[in-house]
Amino acid sequence: MTGPDGTGTATTLLIADDDEVTRTGLRMLLAAQPGIEVVGEAADGVEVVERALRLRPDVVLMDVRMPRCNGIEATRRLLAAPREPAGSRGGGPVPAPPKVVVITTFENDDYVTAALSAGASGFVLKRLPVRQIAEAVRVVAAGEAILFPATLRRMVAARPLDSAEALPRAALTGREEEVLRLMATGLSNPEIAESLTVSLETVKTHVGNVLTKLGAQNRTHAVVIAYESGLVVPGFTG
């Protein structure tokens, strides 16, 4: 299957939802989207971790309200799980964990901000057109974030989380704080570089430093911390 960049490499996807009708519908619709290859399904949080470790998808589309283990805990387990080197035993690179996109019915779902803090890269609403869900999967697979920053701002403002303490301890430089604020508006690395009139490589270095200092799983988690700490306030647009 041809990927979104035309190279022939598709984004592989594992779908986790406890409702069989929803799961089957998502699989049929997303499998028909360009650049998406659905490699499996899971009906609960325990099953999604097991199948993700075996199938090694690029992205997991994760429902949050599932039996045995909800999507928040499943995200934590999946991102923390040890991985064997690819290929033969004892050889090859260790594969990166999959990106997690939370899929939910309500944008004010209390679970969503917790899932983002657990390491999910973004979230989508089940009511969105399938092409938008597919685009979210492709965007996250490419390493970009954040999805729907305006909605995330409202959610974080309504429900602060413990990770707020990470920012005061991080000792970010002034430039790193500036980059984090721009990340919170949803800007990509090239857009941040243009805004600050610096090179793309410089931005990548700053972003990497921000993630390391905050102990953040990804860009989305870093932005959650920024809002929770008060560095960025709801309504900030850069």
Side-chain angles (χ1 to χ4, degrees):
M1 182 182 290
T2 301
D5 58 359
T7 63
T9 302
T11 296
T12 54
L13 177 67
L14 175 64
I15 299 171
D17 197 296
D18 64 330
D19 183 80
E20 184 177 1
V21 173
T22 299
R23 198 170 63 247
T24 301
L26 284 170
R27 177 166 194 153
M28 291 177 60
L29 293 170
L30 288 169
Q33 294 295 304
I36 302 288
E37 179 185 357
V38 180
V39 295
E41 301 176 18
D44 61 56
V46 173
E47 191 173 53
V48 69
V49 173
E50 293 172 348
R51 295 195 176 181
L53 291 174
R54 176 168 52 87
L55 297 171
R56 295 178 176 172
D58 298 317
V59 179
V60 174
L61 191 61
M62 181 86 74
D63 190 20
V64 287
R65 303 186 183 191
M66 295 185 292
R68 292 209 291 171
C69 172
N70 64 37
I72 302 167
E73 182 58 28
T75 297
R76 289 195 187 100
R77 293 182 187 181
L78 185 56
L79 298 182
R83 283 169 170 75
E84 295 180 358
S88 61
R89 287 185 180 179
V94 177
K99 305 294 177 58
V100 175
V101 176
V102 174
I103 184 165
T104 182
T105 303
F106 305 104
E107 65 181 54
N108 64 343
D109 194 321
D110 287 342
Y111 286 125
V112 175
T113 39
L116 294 176
S117 283
S121 295
F123 75 96
V124 293
L125 303 176
K126 290 182 180 180
R127 68 171 181 267
L128 288 177
V130 66
R131 59 180 175 77
Q132 291 186 28
I133 297 176
E135 179 61 17
V137 169
R138 289 190 288 261
V139 166
V140 166
E144 290 293 340
I146 178 177
L147 305 178
F148 312 119
T151 301
L152 179 59
R153 287 197 291 268
R154 293 195 300 271
M155 293 170 61
V156 171
R159 189 175 183 273
L161 297 173
D162 293 341
S163 58
E165 293 301 316
L167 189 60
R169 298 195 303 268
L172 299 180
T173 66
R175 179 61 89 178
E176 288 165 354
E177 287 191 3
E178 192 174 11
V179 168
L180 180 54
R181 286 190 179 97
L182 292 175
M183 288 165 59
T185 69
L187 295 187
S188 65
N189 285 353
E191 291 168 333
I192 294 174
E194 182 178 357
S195 176
L196 298 179
T197 320
V198 298
S199 71
L200 180 58
E201 289 305 313
T202 296
V203 171
K204 289 179 178 178
T205 297
H206 287 317
V207 170
N209 289 342
V210 167
L211 299 186
T212 298
K213 289 182 176 181
L214 294 181
Q217 296 269 10
N218 51 45
R219 292 168 69 98
T220 306
H221 188 194
V223 171
V224 170
I225 294 171
Y227 280 112
E228 292 170 350
S229 69
L231 177 67
V232 180
V233 297
F236 175 77
T237 61

